Structures are given as C-alpha cells and as structure tokens.
Amino acid sequence: MNIFILTGAGVSAESGLGVFRGPGAALWKRHDPMQLATPEAFARDPALVHEFYNARRRNLLAASPNAAHVALARLEAGLAQRGGALTLVTQNIDDLHERAGSASVIHMHGELLKARCASCGAARDCREDLSTNSHCDCAGALRPHVVWFGETPLYMDEIYAALELADLFVAVGTSGAVYPAAGFVREARAKGLRCCELNLEPSENADEFDDRRYGPASEIVPSWVEEILRS
Ligand code: OAD
C-alpha cells in the first residue's frame, strides 16, 4: 500500500509549537501574518521578521517530538517492510518528524532550521538567531528558509507525482485553510483515492473526506497507524 500523508501544525501542537488558527492562543490571532510572513514584510522590517522566527526557532530547539510523530515514523518503516511506501508531506517548518525517525520528509513550506540567501538562493543549516547582520558568503542578506504568503511552496512537482502513485490520502492536524495544500484532498478524490482526516476537530474541507477521526493527534494517530499496520 502507498500512503500519502499531509501534516499540519496540529501534529506538533502537543509538542508545544502552537497552531496558526483555531481556538486558544493561535499564532495568527496574536500576530498579523501580513506583517511577519510575506516578502513585503521582510523588505519593510527585516528585524521584526527575524525576531518572530528567532523566537520560533528557539522554541523548536527546546521541543521534542510527540507520539503522533513517532507513530508516523513507525508507519514509514512498517509500510517499507511490507513492500509499500509512505510519502510524508508537511506544511510544518519544524524538524520533529525527522527527530522522531522519519527518513523522508517533504517540507513544502520550508524549514526553520535553515537560512537562505535572499540574493544567490543558497540554503544552509541555521540553529542560531538571524539578524540584519547575517549574510551569505556572497554578501547577500540571509532570510529564514520558509515559504511566505505570496511565495510558491516547494517540491510541488514531486508532491503531485507522489499523489499519482498513492492508494490512500490522509490529512493530519491541518485546518484546510491554506492552498495549495488544502486542495490536495480534492486532487486525491479526483483520482479515486480514499481520503482520511485525523484532526482535533472538523477542518474547513472535512466534507471531502471519507473517513474522519477527531481527537488529539498523540492519541488518534498512533491508534490509526496500528490499524493500518495490522490490516
Ligand atoms: P492551522 O493552525 O491552520 O490548523 C491546525 C489544525 O490542527 C486545526 O484544524 C486544529 O483543529 C488542529 N489541531 C490543533 N491541535 C491539535 C492536536 N493536538 N491534535 C490534532 N489536531 C490539532 O495549521 P495548518 O493547517 O498547518 O503557512 O496551517 C497551514 C499553513 O498556514 C501553515 O503552514 C502556515 C500557516 O499560515 C505559512 O506560514 C506560509
């Protein structure tokens, strides 16, 4: 069986990384994304944008994967043993899937632990704070290696190619509010795939899923993975 999984902020919520939308202290309720997560915001006030991502990077370095990340890593290994495959695409810029043991993770919105030169485009590892004094070897300014509103997500050809080969589409911990990721379920349905949603509450496109399970990711993801590996 080939499974395509799309994860979002909900999978890392119980690791303390926060979500963007929904009840409680969601990030985009406390901060205006147009002031922090667009190329225009970075051009206008790079120090403010760096401050926001520096705080998130420090938070990430202090966080650990939870049982949902661990279960998805176990699913990858379990499917491979059975001659199947998992494509794990995440909108998350954290590295918690990798730290839980997932060998192959497609970060369509970039990675917080990388910086990219705004001039030559080269990406490098980054575990330290960035500032307006952070520069590439070519002297270009460094920016977080994340996809901002108005920018094109990464690896889209690879992602659509993987959807073609999948037997099952699963969305975990994502609100279904941000495209193109929110449109993957429709693509999957058009190809005749079964679609499953695992989330705390119904997402914006919950009606498009055949199978829906609601609860904290640390509980519903491990039990769903056990079911799949038993079947
Ligand atoms: P959102 O914050 O929009 O949605 C998080 C989803 O996770 C919601 O549907 C919550 O109900 C659910 N959730 C919360 N806690 C959970 C838990 N413990 N277990 C399971 N589910 C839980 O996050 P995304 O859909 O990932 O992009 O957001 C998509 C994109 O919007 C992000 O990648 C980011 C943001 O703006 C950029 O910054 C470009």
Side-chain angles (χ1 to χ4, degrees):
M1 184 185 237
N2 283 346
I3 303 182
F4 182 114
I5 296 188
L6 170 70
T7 65
V11 81
S12 297
E14 290 161 85
S15 295
L17 298 191
V19 292
F20 297 96
R21 301 171 186 80
L27 267 172
W28 292 154
K29 267 196 221 155
R30 290 179 286 136
H31 303 279
D32 177 0
M34 294 304 119
Q35 304 303 320
L36 295 168
T38 66
E40 294 76 19
F42 188 62
R44 195 167 49 238
D45 193 347
L48 180 73
V49 173
H50 280 315
E51 194 184 313
F52 175 70
Y53 285 98
N54 288 342
R56 295 191 61 202
R57 190 179 302 104
R58 283 188 232 124
N59 195 14
L60 170 58
L61 290 170
S64 302
N66 65 55
H69 299 105
V70 172
L72 294 179
R74 180 169 142 62
L75 179 64
E76 181 186 44
L79 286 176
Q81 274 168 9
R82 292 160 176 76
L86 174 67
T87 300
L88 181 55
V89 175
T90 188
Q91 296 164 89
N92 298 344
I93 57 177
D94 65 57
D95 66 340
L96 297 183
H97 284 306
E98 286 90 339
R99 279 199 257 157
S102 288
S104 176
V105 186
I106 299 176
H107 283 274
M108 64 179 290
H109 288 170
E111 294 171 72
L112 188 55
L113 297 184
K114 288 189 179 162
R116 185 168 84 238
C117 175
S119 190
C120 76
R124 58 171 70 192
D125 290 341
C126 173
R127 302 177 77 83
E128 310 297 329
D129 284 359
L130 289 173
S131 76
T132 50
N133 293 323
S134 306
H135 289 99
C136 174
D137 299 337
C138 79
L142 289 180
R143 55 163 281 180
H145 181 47
V146 302
V147 174
W148 285 324
F149 290 101
E151 296 183 320
T152 307
L154 310 173
Y155 311 113
M156 293 310 294
D157 290 347
E158 201 176 327
I159 289 170
Y160 287 118
L163 260 180
E164 290 291 334
L165 300 175
D167 305 304
L168 174 66
F169 173 82
V170 186
V172 183
T174 179
S175 60
V178 175
Y179 285 81
F184 293 168
V185 61
R186 191 157 294 173
E187 298 273 340
R189 281 181 76 84
K191 293 177 203 316
L193 302 191
R194 272 194 80 73
C195 298
C196 170
E197 164 161 283
L198 306 175
N199 207 29
L200 190 59
E201 59 196 3
S203 68
E204 290 189 18
N205 45 17
D207 290 353
E208 308 204 40
F209 291 87
D210 307 290
D211 182 15
R212 304 177 229 170
R213 307 194 185 181
Y214 298 115
S218 65
E219 293 173 17
I220 59 174
V221 177
S223 59
W224 174 79
V225 165
E226 288 315 310
E227 253 177 61
I228 292 288
L229 291 179
R230 266 199 314 269
S231 67

